[in-house]
Amino acid sequence: MPSNLPVLRMRTNDENIIKIKTIAKYHKRSVSKEMEMILEKHITEFEKEHGKIEICTMSPNEIVEDIKDRIKKNPPY
């Protein structure tokens, strides 16, 4: 079933791909869902140590500046 969720791509080596596929199969999950679980666990652990990450909505001007930074490859974005 198609999803409207944002896509996050990453690069890694063959060994990591084989291992995450093995772990996902063990947990009866897709690789995508396994990676989502790992990401959520990592975020939770980070927030326990450093405090909750507040998410705020960007203003239209901030969105424009973010796009400009991405075009110029000027992190963080």
Side-chain angles (χ1 to χ4, degrees), residues 16-25 31 34-35 38:
N16 286 342
I17 292 170
I18 292 166
K19 287 180 179 182
I20 196 64
K21 284 182 177 183
T22 302
I23 294 166
K25 186 175 181 179
V31 171
E34 188 67 34
M35 293 303 298
I38 291 167

Side-chain angles (χ1 to χ4, degrees), residues 65-77:
E65 290 304 313
D66 181 68
I67 291 169
K68 287 178 183 177
D69 286 342
R70 288 171 187 267
I71 291 169
K72 293 177 187 174
K73 298 185 184 204
N74 183 22
Y77 38 74

Side-chain angles (χ1 to χ4, degrees), residues 58-67:
M58 293 171 67
S59 71
N61 288 338
E62 289 171 320
I63 293 170
V64 169
E65 290 304 313
D66 181 68
I67 291 169

